[in-house]
Each structure stands twice: as C-alpha cells, then as structure tokens.
Amino acid sequence: MSRALRVGIGTAVAIAALALPHALTVPYFLHLTILACIWTVLAQGQNLVQGFSGYVSIAAGGFMAIGAYASALLSVKAGWPVWTSMALAPFVAAAFALVVGYPSLRVKGHYFAIVTLAYNLVIVTVLNNYESFTGGEAGMPNIQRPAALVLGGLQLSFAGREGYYYLVLLAAAAATAGGALVLHSRVGRVLIAIRQNEMVVDALGVAAWRYKLFAFVASGFLAGLAGALYAHFIGFLNPEPFGTDQSMNAILAVTLGGSGTLLGPIVGAFLVVTLPEYLRVADTYRLVAYGLLLVLATIFMPRGIVPMVSRGFQGMATRLAAALRPRPDPTP
Amino acid sequence: MTRIDEGLVARCTAVLAGLALCATAHAAQKELVIGVSDALTGPGAVYGLPQSNAVRMAVDDTNAKGGIKVGQDVYKLRLVAYDDKANPTEATNSVRKLIDRDGAQYLLGFCCSGPTSAVASFIGRENVTMLVGNAAERTITAQGIPNLFRTRPPADFTGSAAGAFVAKRGVKTIAVIGSLDVSFYSQYLEAFEREFTRTGGKILAKETFGLKDRDMTPQLTKVRALNPEALLVLGYVEPCAFVYRQAVELGMKMPRYGFTSGSEEQFLKVATSEQMEGVWDLRPTELTVSALGEKANAYVAEYTKRFGTPPSPSSPYAYDQFYVLKHAIEKAGSVDPKKVQDSIRSGGIPPEAIMRYLPVGSAMFDENGQAYTTNGAFQWQKGKWVYVSDLPSDPVAYSKYLRSLRK
Amino acid sequence: MITEALQQVLNGLAIGSVYTLIAVGLTIVFGILGIAHFAHGSAAMSGGYLTFILTERLGLGFFPAMAVALIAGAALGVVLERLAYRPVRDAPQINAFIIALGLTMILEGGNLLLFGPDQVVIPTPYQHVYTVGGLVVAELRIQVMLTASLAVAAMATFVSRTRAGRSIRAVAQNRQAAVLMGVNADAVATMVFALSSALGVIGGALVGALLAIAPGVGEGLVVKGFAVLILGGLGSIPGAIVGGLVLGVSEALAAGFISSAYKDVIAFLVMIGVLLVRPEGLLGKR
C-alpha cells in the first residue's frame, strides 16, 4: 500500500471512530464497542508475546484480574482517586509479570504455556479464597468511574458511556501505538528472530531471555490496563471473568486477527466481542463454533485475517497497476 | 321495490362490528416486554434454566387468559430471555441488551449471585424494576437499591435458624465441610455459628472444597480425626452428595446436617439411599410437595408436562416473581416502573405464589426489597426428603439486621 | 496422627492413579510427536460419558462398557490427529498448540450438547468398604487403582515388546532416521494417538465411576496431567507414573495438613518449584 493511501485510510478510520457514538442508534452497540476497545488493549498485549516472540502465554486473564483488582482495591478500599489507581494498576500487573516471568522464561515452548496456565489458575484461586481482601466469589460492588476532567474550560465526563468510550478508544490507540513502537525497534526484530529460530538467536550471543521477559512484562502491563478499564466500566468485580477462558479469548483474538501484525489484534478483539452476539442464535453451539473457527483458521489461515486481506488488497493493487501500466512494446 | 336483503344487512353489520372490535382491540392491545437474564447454559444452568422456564410458563398462562389489564388497556406479554452463563460480564451484557435494545423495563430471573451482584451494581441508575430469584448473596438486598426486589431469603436468614435448631438437638461439637469460598455459604455458616455457639456449642474445623472438587476424602479424613459429634455440609448438591457418600465410605457414623437444597434424584445419582439415610437438610421450605401442599403439586405437574422434566426446587422463586409483578402492575394501573415499584413495596403475597412467604408487617417485601420464606428441617428417610418441622425464623428481626448493614 | 497420614496417602493414591493414566497418555503424544495435546482431557471425558451411556441406557457392565468406549475413544483420537494435528505438522509448534486449544473447545462444547450440564456418575456394583487396622478403603477405589495399573502395564508391554511398539520407539528416538529406515511415520502417529486416547478413556471412565464427569472436569484433569509431566519430565513414561502418584498423594496431604482451600495452589507451586530447580523433571534426562 502506498503511504498516501495508508494515511488516507488511517484518517478515515480515526474520524469514523471519533464520530461513532453519534452514529450509533442503539446504545447497546456502544457498550459492545467499549468492551471491544478494552479487549483490543488486552489483545495487543497478548500479541507482544504470542505474535512477536511465538510463545503462547495462557495468563492474559490472570494479569487482567491483577490490574482490575489493583485498581478497584486502591480506589474502593484505600480511597485513592480513581485516576491514580487506574494509572498505577498496569504497573502492579507488570511487576507481577516480572516476578513470575523471570523464572518461567527459563523454560521453553510448551513448558512456558503450561506454567502460565498454572499462574492463571493460582491467581483465580487466590482471588476466590482471600475473601477478606478481594470479597471472594461474591465480589466487590460499587467501583466508581473516574472523575470528570476539565481541559481548557471543556468538561469531560466519564460517567456516561460516551465519555468512557473516548477513554478506552484512547487506550486502544495507545496500546496499538506501543505495539508499533516495539515492532519497529531492535527489540521487535529480536523477538521476531526468536519466533523464527531461538537457537540461532542464542548462538549469536543475544540474551534472548531478556527480550522475552520484556515482551512478557509489557503484555502484563497492557493486560493490567485492560483490567483497570474493565473494572471501572462494569463497576463490579469477581474472579469469574478472569479464568482461563479469558486467556483463551485473548489467544483467539490474536490468532484470528493476525498474530504478529498490528491491526490483527484490533480486528480479533472486535470479532471476539461481536461474534457471540451473532452466534447467540445457537448459544449452545457457540463453544463448538469457536473451537472450529480456531482450528480452521490455524490450518487454512495460519497468519490470520489481516495479513490475508491485506495480501488480497496488495494482489489487487499490483494487478490494477499492471493493468494500468502502459505495456512495453513486444520486443522481437 | 324496496326489498332489503336481510342477509346483506346482517353481513354488513357483522363486518362493521368486526372492524370496530378490531379497532378497539388495536387501540387497547399493547405489548409489554418481560426480560429474563439467567444462566441457561453452563454450570449455573441447573438453577437458571428452570427459573427461565417457570417464568415462561407464567407468561404463557397469563397471555392465554388475555394478558394483563392495566386501566383501559390490555397488555400482551413478550418474553425475551438471554443467557448470562452465571458470568458477571455476560450478565451485564445481557441486561444492557434487554434495556437498551429490547426496551424491557421489567427484569426477572437471576439465579446466581455473581452475575446478579454485577447487575445490581448499576441497576439503581436505570428506570426499570428488577426481581431477583434464587441468588442468595446477602449484599444484593443489603444496599437498599430502590428498584430491586428478591423473592429468595438471604442464606444467613436460614443459617441462624439452622444453628439454633442443631444446638437444640443437643449437639455440642460440629465440624464443617463446605464451599466456603462461595460467600453465601460462608454467610450461612457465620449466622449458624453465632446461634450455635450462643448455647456453648463449638465448631471444631472449617474445611473448604472447590466447586469442581469431587474427592473430599482428604477433608473428611482430617475431620474424622477430630471426632466431632456431628457434621455440617454446605454447598451445591453435586459436590455435597459426594461428601455424604465418602463420609460413609470412611466409616463416619455421626449425624450429618447440611444446606444443599438438592432433589432426591440429584442425590441418588451419586450416593445410595442407605448412604443418605438420616441426613438433615436445613433450608428454605422450597418446592417440597409434602411441605407446600396442593398448589405445589399442580405446579410440578404442569411444569413437567410442558418441559418434560420436573422443576428444580428453587424454580418457584422465579414463578412467584412474575405474579408479584402482575398484581403490582394491575394494582398500580400503570406500567411505569416507578409506580409499579411502589405497589410491589406495599403489596401483599400474590395468591398464585408457590413458596410459603412470611410477610413483614402486611407486605410481602420489607424495606430492603427482601421477601422471606419459611425455613424447614428436612430429613432423608428411606429414599425421600421428609419434611420434619419448621425452623424457628424471625423475618422482622432479620429485616432490621439487613437494614443495619446499609452504609 | 500416623493413621491419619496413612489414610491420606491411601486417599491420594486413588486419584493419583487417574492422574497417572491421563499423564501417560499425554506424555507419549508429547514425547513421540512433540504435540502438547491439550484436548486430551476432554477427549477422555467423551469416553467417560460414553461409558455412562452404555451402562445406564444399555445395561452393560462397567468393564464391558469401558472396553467399547475405549475403542470409540481410540478412533476419536485417530480422527483428531488425522484431521487437525497432521495438517500443521510442519508448521511452527505454536500452531499445533492453538489447534489443541480449539479442539478442547469443540470437545467440551460437544460433550455439553450431547450429555448436558449436569454431572454424571457411572454406576458400579463395588459398594463394599474394607477396614484394615484403622485404615478404611472402599472397594471401588481398589478397583480404580488395579485397573489403572493394568492399563499402564499393558501399554508399556505393547511399546516394549511388539513390532509396532518398536517403530514407535524408533520415531521417538530419531524421527528422520526412523523414516529413512522405512518406518511409516504417519502410521506411528495414528498408533500413538489411538493408544493415548484409549488410556485417556480408561481414565475418564474411572473418574466417572469414582467421582463424576461434568463440564470442565476434563480441562481440570489435563492441567493436572501437564503438571505431572513437568514433575516427571516431559516424554518420560516412568516419570508420568511416579509424578501422577506423587501429585495425588501430595494434594491429599496438603488438603489434610495445610489448607483445603489452597490445595490446588500447593500442587501448582510444587510444579513451578520443580521446574525452577530441575526443569527436566524428577525423572527426566538431563
């Protein structure tokens, strides 16, 4: 795609995203869009590990829980301002990721996946049983939305869905920008080299584990941010939405959308949030349909939707260009 | 000749009358959306699906009788039920959808505490009326949410009655095995302990099992070594049936009390009748024909006919919700949720109600929006739950306590 | 105190022998084909459900029903390998793992559709309870331990004594060399999945008889199975046997003497600890 075309499409998407709350007639869709933006943050984090370095982490739900509970506990129990606790929550999740990531990244491949799954189970068990602190299964009600901001005489309120939408949109954009920054840096290149051949990276004397740890901690950070945004949006927390199902959703979003790409997680997150709405007709078949989708996508579309579509576009563009280009005279 | 064709006149009149009828019917016939959010699939479905079915049955019956009359208008009911999978996020989504997309102003169902609490945390800001069924977590009605009502009493209302009952039977030491990470079981236990220890009773151990655990022999072995006079088992039917069975398999012969609310079939799937013999269940007097009488009998028969399986013991909480709503709308003469709430708050117990409610003053619901049923002591005797006696319960005192929790 | 501890060991051995069955199935698939077959637990539960249907609806005895389910389970394993895993055999490892997650969802959803959300307990005639010097053990638990031991022994004999077993071992040692020597790698993959799933179905049926089958039980078991693999060393059959029993017993002891609420957490902490100190597992090769 040419640069001009990209800028054009980007601007159009940005305008559409900003105008969205005014275009939606059914408020429920705004609700779903907010969730999709939050899930985008989560999926961008998952993409750093799964898409870039090729390691499957099954702990996204767990780190999301840590971010959500950190922010909720700081604001509800410690009485801190919501903005402060929301800003701190991702760091708490990242700190956890650092502590547990350091040992578990000493092992490779499947070991890593299984260990992260165990972390997720441990986190949920502790949240359920440490009742005096987390409220256990009964949960924590009445988690407040952040206070209104006054920017140059303009009052921005987040109590309604519209205001909150702009907040999560900003977060999703920032997460995507962060992903872009990593991808185009040396770190990103090393991570992708790890995905392609970790042994070669090791052999070149690059400390692969440092880069993997960075990706893991950064993904913990984003999952924590997603958790904080989620907690203050829904207003109620219990451990249930953060089980391994949630981690699977993050994996599904990245795989379907296009792992290792920047747009993939966005597309995947929207699919994961909206697909159930369309599959709801056959609610009992949903799990089966999801599974089939995951299997078929991995076999037939291993790079995900975004690369496939963009390749399709590129193919069309090349053909179009070829058709428009004046044919050189056939040389004898 | 002016011979009037009488047949023609008759036909014209009939057509005109028909048109007129149609017109008035059209003017008065309106639609009222009844929203249900409940666990229709997944582990919560044992409670949620029967609740949703019970509401459907009540709605169909009412429509068949012409609908709900509100002043001049007659409302036909349209039921919209969504699956919340007993998950807070899904429940938030499905309630948002009911309110925003389907225009539902009356929300019924709600079998499970997690999703119900999630919905309760924002429902106060919406112009709707919410009726909670089987979800027993205390905080749901402890917050004083004005547009929320609950037919099932909180677990600790039953727990304190149970504690007094067990102490009265002369038990001095007891060991607890339960789903204590599920808060309404820990609330039941808390209230049980308060009453039980008041007269010198002692709780020797509190052992927990997870929702998916089925091998309780480690916990039972530990408890056995402490030699308690009795065992108290708290949790969902499926794991608790294993506790009862494995206790027998480990040679434990002390009396067993519990709070599980399971049906005979559910227990017999896991344990033999001999293994269950003598077990007590101390719980709200839910659907037990011997305790509730003829009306319950008819309900069970009708439900079984329509859905092919017998109803769950807790499903009438949802059935009763609907009739609370119906009478309140009729009494208010309006479908405005605010007016309907007032009439629910002052209203008595609907005649169709299946459960046996204890009124607070003259109303069915107290100032917290909470209703109370009687509690009963049931004992497993020769393959059946037998209703032995009522548990002494005091809704007025509990209602005051519940009010005192409000911040 | 000592009786209590011994009783806890006995309690743990029964569930530990089920962990062993599941883990042995996982470890042969992993050791020979390099696939982390996450759907193994759910496939095992499908077999358990089938055993239930055969006993409850058709009135078959427990062991005959299990034998039929075992064959069906083996066939299911072969189908999964053929349709889902084989197409990604040469793709990066992560693809096979994602396929495994997808298969888990399909099987769990399928089980839910076919058999409903309620828990299912397979009826057996073994109701006796034996008491020996203060220790109590139910007849059913003895049957479970015996069946599991026999199944694992039969599998080990097959792998070590038969011609087909030899080709499996050859592929496990060096896939390329084995293929060059004329071993049919596709046939080996089929055989490994059939064996592993058959063992899984026995595990599923035993869980269904001893405890219960319900949605989510399979996933829980496969996680425990992987924990066992990490304890014993990925790909090691003796490691899986010892690891399964160790996990079962340590869970019972943890629940009895430390905390029943954090029983599972303790099991995973042990696993993570082993991973850090001895990443190749207790019995794994360095």
Side-chain angles (χ1 to χ4, degrees):
Chain A
M1 257 188 283
S2 73
R3 199 176 172 81
L5 188 63
R6 270 198 218 184
V7 171
I9 292 179
T11 319
V13 169
I15 291 174
L18 287 173
L20 188 80
H22 305 284
L24 288 179
T25 44
V26 181
Y28 179 64
F29 290 131
L30 189 56
H31 174 84
L32 285 182
T33 314
I34 292 174
L35 286 180
C37 286
I38 297 176
W39 261 236
T40 300
V41 176
L42 185 73
Q44 288 293 8
Q46 179 72 19
N47 192 32
L48 289 179
V49 178
Q50 185 188 331
F52 291 7
S53 69
Y55 271 63
V56 183
S57 158
I58 317 183
F63 289 124
M64 190 176 174
I66 291 178
Y69 272 90
S71 190
L73 285 169
L74 285 175
S75 63
V76 175
K77 296 230 164 150
W80 291 18
V82 174
W83 285 114
T84 319
S85 45
M86 272 174 97
L88 277 176
F91 290 97
V92 176
F96 258 87
L98 183 68
V99 172
V100 301
Y102 177 72
S104 47
L105 279 164
R106 290 175 37 169
V107 294
K108 291 181 181 166
H110 296 302
Y111 276 121
F112 175 74
I114 296 158
V115 174
T116 52
L117 176 66
Y119 286 141
N120 206 136
L121 293 168
V122 169
I123 290 170
V124 170
T125 311
V126 172
L127 290 176
N128 262 322
N129 284 290
Y130 197 3
E131 249 183 274
S132 55
F133 199 54
T134 64
E137 184 252 10
M140 292 173 61
N142 302 322
I143 302 164
Q144 300 300 318
R145 292 269 172 91
L149 287 182
V150 181
L151 279 182
L154 198 71
Q155 168 121 358
L156 295 174
S157 159
F158 300 95
R161 265 171 279 181
E162 207 181 305
Y164 210 82
Y165 166 72
Y166 289 113
L167 181 65
V168 295
L169 184 66
L170 181 70
T176 310
L181 224 60
V182 172
L183 186 62
H184 296 301
S185 70
R186 178 188 146 79
V187 179
R189 284 194 296 274
V190 174
L191 287 175
I192 285 169
I194 291 174
R195 181 179 74 195
Q196 282 157 351
N197 196 334
E198 186 165 354
M199 277 204 289
V200 172
V201 176
D202 278 335
L204 286 173
V206 178
W209 68 269
R210 282 199 198 168
Y211 292 87
K212 290 189 289 184
L213 187 60
F214 168 80
F216 190 66
V217 171
S219 88
F221 182 89
L222 288 180
L225 176 62
L229 290 168
Y230 173 81
H232 294 277
F233 176 57
I234 298 288
F236 170 86
L237 272 191
N238 84 349
E240 224 170 279
F242 305 112
T244 42
D245 285 1
Q246 189 61 266
S247 306
M248 298 267 199
N249 266 342
I251 294 172
L252 184 68
V254 170
T255 312
L256 276 187
S259 100
T261 67
L262 288 172
L263 290 181
I266 304 179
V267 173
F270 273 81
L271 279 179
V272 166
V273 172
T274 51
L275 267 184
E277 296 303 315
Y278 293 99
L279 291 174
R280 209 172 277 272
V281 222
D283 227 351
T284 30
Y285 295 92
R286 191 167 80 173
L287 207 55
V288 179
Y290 259 37
L292 268 177
L293 211 58
L294 202 54
V295 171
L296 293 177
T298 315
I299 295 177
F300 297 109
M301 207 174 59
R303 297 175 56 197
I305 291 172
V306 167
M308 204 178 70
V309 172
S310 76
R311 216 169 347 149
F313 264 118
Q314 252 160 18
M316 262 192 327
T318 335
R319 256 171 289 154
L320 201 66
L324 293 176
R325 204 179 302 137
R327 274 166 207 278
D329 288 331
T331 38
Chain B
M1 292 298 282
T2 55
R3 191 175 152 261
I4 298 164
D5 183 338
E6 277 175 39
L8 186 71
V9 172
R11 260 172 295 170
C12 282
T13 325
V15 167
L16 278 174
L19 275 175
L21 244 174
C22 273
T24 51
H26 206 78
Q29 176 95 266
K30 293 182 176 173
E31 186 186 72
L32 188 67
V33 179
I34 304 287
V36 166
S37 173
D38 226 326
L40 307 181
T41 61
V46 253
Y47 301 97
L49 191 59
Q51 285 211 138
S52 163
N53 284 343
V55 174
R56 183 170 300 279
M57 190 162 109
V59 163
D60 288 350
D61 286 349
T62 307
N63 275 339
K65 286 181 191 151
I68 299 187
K69 258 195 80 172
V70 183
Q72 297 297 311
D73 300 336
V74 175
Y75 281 84
K76 281 277 182 191
L77 306 169
R78 182 161 68 91
L79 183 71
V80 183
Y82 291 127
D83 183 11
D84 68 23
K85 294 182 195 60
N87 175 319
T89 315
E90 296 277 355
T92 310
N93 284 351
S94 61
V95 167
R96 282 259 64 94
K97 199 154 58 156
L98 284 170
I99 298 174
D100 295 339
R101 204 167 75 183
D102 301 305
Q105 289 190 306
Y106 296 97
L107 307 175
L108 273 53
F110 302 102
C111 69
C112 300
S113 293
T116 308
S117 303
V119 173
S121 69
F122 70 82
I123 207 71
R125 297 193 291 269
E126 304 284 340
N127 184 27
V128 298
T129 298
M130 170 174 176
L131 285 138
V132 177
N134 185 54
E137 161 64 36
R138 182 176 60 208
T139 49
I140 294 168
T141 45
Q143 307 164 54
I145 301 166
N147 55 347
L148 181 149
F149 301 89
R150 172 162 63 180
T151 43
R152 184 204 171 126
D156 53 348
F157 173 66
T158 310
S160 57
F165 177 80
V166 174
K168 223 174 182 177
R169 288 179 57 83
V171 176
K172 288 280 167 254
T173 57
I174 199 163
V176 184
I177 296 187
S179 277
L180 301 182
D181 59 339
V182 174
S183 65
F184 67 89
Y185 290 115
S186 58
Q187 286 165 7
Y188 182 99
L189 177 57
E190 206 181 288
F192 180 96
E193 187 169 10
R194 217 170 27 235
E195 286 301 317
F196 183 69
T197 50
R198 194 191 297 269
T199 46
K202 208 170 157 219
I203 293 187
L204 298 185
K206 294 176 187 174
E207 293 299 316
T208 300
F209 54 79
L211 284 180
K212 284 181 185 157
D213 282 351
R214 294 293 180 269
D215 188 4
M216 318 311 179
T217 48
Q219 289 93 326
L220 284 165
T221 302
K222 181 177 179 185
V223 161
R224 191 181 61 171
L226 300 171
N227 230 344
E229 283 174 31
L231 207 58
L232 178 65
V233 182
L234 310 173
Y236 298 109
V237 197
E238 297 190 326
C240 287
F242 279 97
V243 177
Y244 291 137
R245 169 174 129 188
Q246 288 161 357
V248 174
E249 287 176 350
L250 284 170
M252 299 165 76
K253 298 200 172 70
M254 67 281 279
R256 293 162 293 170
Y257 297 89
F259 171 53
T260 57
S261 305
S263 67
E264 282 95 1
E265 300 87 62
Q266 285 170 313
F267 278 104
L268 286 176
K269 265 194 205 168
V270 175
T272 61
S273 183
E274 295 79 63
Q275 286 167 332
M276 288 297 296
E277 190 63 30
V279 168
W280 290 89
D281 208 21
L282 310 175
R283 56 176 168 88
T285 319
E286 290 172 356
L287 200 53
T288 313
V289 176
S290 61
L292 295 181
E294 254 331 284
K295 216 169 7 169
N297 224 346
Y299 170 82
V300 172
E302 185 58 30
Y303 184 105
T304 312
K305 201 176 96 194
R306 282 199 211 178
F307 302 106
T309 52
S312 68
S314 60
S315 62
Y317 288 128
Y319 185 81
D320 296 351
Q321 284 175 340
F322 176 79
Y323 283 103
V324 166
L325 182 64
K326 176 172 181 278
H327 287 280
I329 291 176
E330 283 169 353
K331 204 178 108 196
S334 157
V335 291
D336 173 28
K338 291 255 159 29
K339 290 184 183 147
V340 173
Q341 279 152 35
D342 291 338
S343 102
I344 292 180
R345 199 163 288 115
S346 60
I349 297 157
E352 293 90 346
I354 303 294
M355 301 289 197
R356 225 159 15 115
Y357 294 95
L358 299 166
V360 180
S362 64
M364 172 168 173
F365 294 93
D366 69 2
E367 56 175 330
N368 308 298
Q370 181 64 57
Y372 300 92
T373 62
T374 53
N375 292 311
F378 297 80
Q379 193 178 30
W380 189 283
Q381 295 173 2
K382 300 194 183 73
K384 275 205 153 348
W385 285 119
V386 175
Y387 167 70
V388 178
S389 72
D390 258 356
L391 293 178
S393 327
D394 186 351
V396 176
Y398 185 86
S399 174
K400 274 207 193 94
Y401 164 71
L402 191 60
R403 177 68 182 81
S404 73
L405 295 175
R406 210 182 292 173
K407 280 169 204 144
Chain C
M1 183 71 185
I2 290 185
T3 331
E4 196 189 338
L6 283 177
Q7 180 72 52
Q8 293 292 22
V9 171
L10 212 53
N11 295 339
L13 283 177
I15 189 71
S17 60
V18 174
Y19 291 163
T20 293
L21 270 179
I22 299 289
V24 169
L26 280 175
T27 211
I28 56 175
V29 170
F30 189 88
I32 297 162
L33 305 173
I35 297 171
H37 183 27
F38 198 79
H40 185 60
S42 310
M45 288 309 130
S46 303
Y49 277 118
L50 186 60
T51 312
F52 169 75
I53 298 286
L54 291 172
T55 50
E56 185 86 354
R57 305 275 155 79
L58 300 183
L60 256 61
F62 175 62
F63 286 104
M66 190 168 84
V68 176
L70 187 147
I71 295 165
L76 174 67
V78 170
V79 169
L80 292 185
E81 192 275 330
R82 192 73 197 75
L83 292 184
Y85 287 120
R86 198 171 292 180
V88 295
R89 193 166 57 193
D90 300 319
Q93 270 198 343
I94 184 174
N95 292 24
F97 192 74
I98 290 169
I99 295 258
L101 297 182
L103 288 178
T104 310
M105 290 158 110
I106 297 176
L107 288 171
E108 284 288 319
N111 286 343
L112 195 65
L113 277 176
L114 289 173
F115 308 108
D118 292 351
Q119 76 176 10
V120 150
V121 180
I122 303 171
T124 56
Y126 315 113
Q127 297 290 349
H128 205 79
V129 176
Y130 301 100
T131 314
V132 187
L135 294 182
V136 186
V137 59
E139 187 185 2
L140 181 57
R141 290 183 170 244
I142 297 176
Q143 291 282 1
V144 166
M145 291 186 263
L146 277 179
T147 313
S149 324
L150 275 176
V152 171
M155 202 274 315
T157 315
F158 177 80
V159 173
S160 60
R161 295 289 156 80
T162 63
R163 206 184 142 74
R166 204 164 62 199
S167 62
I168 292 180
R169 278 179 293 142
V171 172
Q173 273 172 12
N174 188 330
R175 185 194 173 84
Q176 274 165 340
V179 171
L180 286 177
M181 299 307 290
V183 173
N184 182 343
D186 285 350
V188 166
T190 303
M191 216 150 43
V192 165
F193 263 87
L195 269 181
S196 144
S197 308
L199 285 181
V201 167
I202 299 175
L206 292 180
V207 167
L210 179 67
L211 305 169
I213 307 170
V217 170
E219 284 166 290
L221 269 182
V222 85
V223 173
K224 295 277 168 70
F226 276 117
V228 169
L229 254 59
I230 287 178
L231 278 178
L234 283 183
S236 154
I237 293 177
I241 297 170
V242 174
L245 298 177
V246 166
L247 184 68
V249 170
S250 54
E251 274 184 6
L253 290 174
F257 293 103
I258 306 175
S259 154
S260 42
Y262 291 100
K263 183 181 78 168
D264 288 347
V265 173
I266 292 162
F268 289 127
L269 288 182
V270 169
M271 172 185 106
I272 292 166
V274 167
L275 202 53
L276 296 182
V277 183
R278 220 184 128 80
E280 66 282 358
L282 296 175
L283 297 185
K285 281 171 277 201
R286 240 180 221 281

